[in-house]
């Protein structure tokens, strides 16, 4: 019934520490009426505030990130629409020693992965929250930061991967490793709740051949941490088990993290003009969508994996927001019934 969205008063700059966005619900059963239920100080145009519906209560509960206006410390909110007329905050996951925010809720529920958005604001600003409180400013690969696992019901926090561990895994393969400040993007839980895929990165302002950009997998309990030499690019999405969909060799592929082999190729450049574009696999795995930019529009190509049928959606206008910190990524997201996606776009009045 609802699409979660942020409502803001500007789109021509990155937000600062005091710039709040309104948390809104677009009601699909009441003419797309927007119902504002809260606000957040932890968001950016690239990733919003990491909205996730809670898989354990998917009709009424959702997660988003926020920050304390006095301390600048980031935390995650669990919001419940049944708490009063407009809903309310059911829980706040605050950790004074390591203030982290949601980076990905387990697909079957129970926990979320949390990362340091203040560190990302320093090392890759488009994915962080500017001027948030960071306990790792001086450390290139801290042992006290990395990926945390937070239990949704108990609030217990556990560091499952540290930057110090990642540095040890990269030793001998990365030049000038001691001076590179590592950060993490794309903490992706698989559909079985038993494997996580993520990228360990550094120096993303440098030319591509001088960056650190290494894919890793780890179990949610912190075991079996592994670096992968086959790079699966774009914004990957899990298929089943340990198989993940992404781009390699300039085409859409499925990579098996256990065998470390590309085990399937999907379509080709004639089907998917940009295999490294944003992608999404429907909940039942039947429909797959890939996206690419062309001029002032985002384009979406659907593949029916059962029949091989290909559908191309009408272009979605995005105006000038196609590059840089304020770019509008295609970012398709499936509904639960696997028969529609929601995408961003720019309206006729430029908003």
């Amino acid at each position: 019934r609802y699409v979660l969205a942020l409502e803001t008063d500007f789109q021509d700059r990155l937000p600062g520490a005091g710039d709040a966005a309104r948390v809104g619900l677009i009601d699909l059963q009441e003419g797309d009426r927007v119902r504002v239920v809260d606000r957040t100080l932890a968001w950016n145009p690239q990733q919003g505030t990491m909205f996730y519906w809670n898989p354990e209560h998917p009709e009424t509960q959702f997660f988003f990130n926020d920050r304390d206006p006095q301390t600048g410390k980031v935390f995650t909110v669990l919001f419940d629409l049944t708490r009063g007329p407009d809903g309310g905050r059911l829980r706040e996951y605050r950790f004074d020693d390591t203030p982290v925010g949601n980076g990905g809720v387990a697909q079957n529920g129970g926990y979320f992965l949390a990362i340091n958005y203040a560190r990302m604001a320093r090392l890759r600003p488009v994915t962080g929250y500017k001027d948030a409180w960071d306990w790792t400013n001086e450390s290139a690969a801290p042992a006290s930061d990395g990926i945390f696992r937070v239990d949704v019901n108990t609030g217990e926090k556990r560091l499952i991967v540290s930057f110090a561990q990642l540095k040890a895994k990269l030793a001998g393969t990365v030049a000038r490793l001691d001076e590179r400040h590592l950060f993490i993007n794309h903490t992706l839980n698989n559909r079985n709740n038993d494997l996580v895929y993520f990228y360990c990165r550094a120096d993303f302002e440098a030319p591509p051949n001088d960056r650190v950009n290494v894919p890793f997998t780890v179990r949610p309990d912190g075991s079996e941490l592994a670096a992968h030499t086959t790079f699966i690019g774009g914004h990957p999405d899990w298929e089943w088990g340990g198989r993940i969909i992404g781009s390699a060799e300039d085409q859409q592929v499925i990579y098996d993290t256990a065998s470390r082999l590309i085990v399937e190729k999907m379509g080709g450049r004639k089907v998917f003009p940009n295999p490294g574009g944003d992608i999404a696999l429907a909940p039942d795995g039947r429909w797959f969508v890939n996206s690419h930019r062309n001029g002032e529009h985002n384009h979406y190509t659907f593949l029916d994996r059962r029949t091989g049928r290909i559908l191309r959606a009408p272009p979605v206008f995005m105006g000038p927001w196609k590059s840089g910190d304020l770019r509008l990524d295609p970012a398709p997201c499936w509904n639960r019934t696997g028969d529609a996606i929601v995408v961003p776009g720019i309206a006729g009045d430029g908003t």
Side-chain angles (χ1 to χ4, degrees):
R1 174 173 179 174
Y2 297 113
V3 174
L4 280 168
L6 288 180
E7 185 179 60
T8 72
D9 296 319
F10 61 90
Q11 63 188 47
D12 57 350
R13 61 176 173 84
L14 291 175
D19 289 317
R22 294 174 289 280
V23 174
L25 294 158
I26 302 172
D27 193 331
L28 305 184
Q29 294 181 12
E30 292 192 11
D32 299 334
R33 181 175 67 91
V34 178
R35 173 182 160 198
V36 175
V37 297
D38 210 318
R39 65 198 291 272
T40 175
L41 291 168
W43 63 282
N44 58 55
Q46 185 69 218
Q47 299 177 337
T49 185
M50 299 301 286
F51 278 132
Y52 276 79
W53 292 99
N54 182 5
E56 295 181 303
H57 301 279
E59 300 300 322
T60 59
Q61 293 181 7
F62 58 88
F63 298 91
F64 64 93
N65 290 335
D66 199 357
R67 84 169 100 188
D68 189 290
Q70 275 73 49
T71 64
K73 294 183 177 182
V74 172
F75 59 94
T76 297
V77 174
L78 178 58
F79 194 93
D80 192 328
L81 293 172
T82 66
R83 289 175 66 87
D86 291 314
R89 298 188 176 200
L90 183 63
R91 185 166 196 157
E92 294 179 344
Y93 301 87
R94 294 179 181 249
F95 307 105
D96 283 340
D97 58 338
T98 57
V100 290
N102 170 37
V105 176
Q107 295 202 41
N108 294 321
Y111 69 87
F112 61 87
L113 302 174
I115 50 181
N116 182 358
Y117 285 92
R119 184 176 180 88
M120 291 200 294
R122 175 168 60 90
L123 299 176
R124 197 182 184 201
V126 296
T127 62
Y129 306 145
K130 185 179 180 182
D131 297 325
W133 189 83
D134 186 6
W135 71 99
T136 71
N137 273 334
E138 305 301 320
S139 181
S144 62
D145 191 10
I147 300 177
F148 296 82
R149 169 179 167 157
V150 180
D151 187 285
V152 170
N153 296 305
T154 68
E156 179 186 358
K157 175 199 66 174
R158 178 185 173 192
L159 181 64
I160 62 169
V161 177
S162 73
F163 285 111
Q165 288 176 282
L166 296 176
K167 179 182 176 181
K169 288 285 186 181
L170 295 173
T173 65
V174 173
R176 309 189 327 277
L177 184 58
D178 285 343
E179 64 190 65
R180 292 181 184 263
H181 284 237
L182 304 178
F183 66 95
I184 289 167
N185 279 153
H186 298 293
T187 45
L188 302 172
N189 293 282
N190 74 346
R191 296 174 186 237
N192 304 68
N193 273 29
D194 63 5
L195 194 59
V196 177
Y197 188 88
F198 66 95
Y199 295 115
C200 177
R201 292 174 163 172
D203 297 329
F204 249 57
E205 305 305 315
N209 60 359
D210 195 36
R211 300 173 181 176
V212 176
N213 194 13
V214 179
F216 278 82
T217 51
V218 68
R219 297 293 178 185
D221 63 0
S223 64
E224 299 182 34
L225 177 65
H228 293 260
T229 55
T230 299
F231 184 82
I232 303 298
H235 287 204
D237 196 8
W238 285 103
E239 194 210 37
W240 312 117
R243 290 161 51 107
I244 194 163
I245 306 172
S247 67
E249 303 170 0
D250 207 26
Q251 57 189 321
Q252 209 81 70
V253 302
I254 298 178
Y255 173 72
D256 182 79
T257 59
S259 67
R260 304 197 176 204
L261 296 172
I262 293 172
V263 294
E264 189 175 328
K265 298 175 181 177
M266 301 169 60
R269 285 304 296 266
K270 290 184 179 179
V271 177
F272 301 123
N274 179 19
D278 295 354
I279 63 173
L281 183 66
D284 65 0
R286 175 171 178 175
W287 284 96
F288 170 81
V289 62
N290 164 284
S291 56
H292 71 279
R293 294 190 186 92
N294 186 12
E296 293 189 315
H297 294 82
N298 287 334
H299 298 258
Y300 299 87
T301 302
F302 294 86
L303 170 66
D304 184 338
R305 300 180 68 209
R306 188 179 304 169
T307 66
R309 183 185 183 196
I310 296 166
L311 297 175
R312 301 189 189 276
V316 179
F317 183 66
M318 64 175 184
W321 311 101
K322 59 184 179 180
S323 63
D325 291 350
L326 302 175
R327 71 181 184 272
L328 190 65
D329 283 346
C333 184
W334 285 96
N335 64 354
R336 294 184 190 127
T337 47
D339 57 8
I341 59 171
V342 65
V343 302
I346 293 292
D349 63 1
T351 61

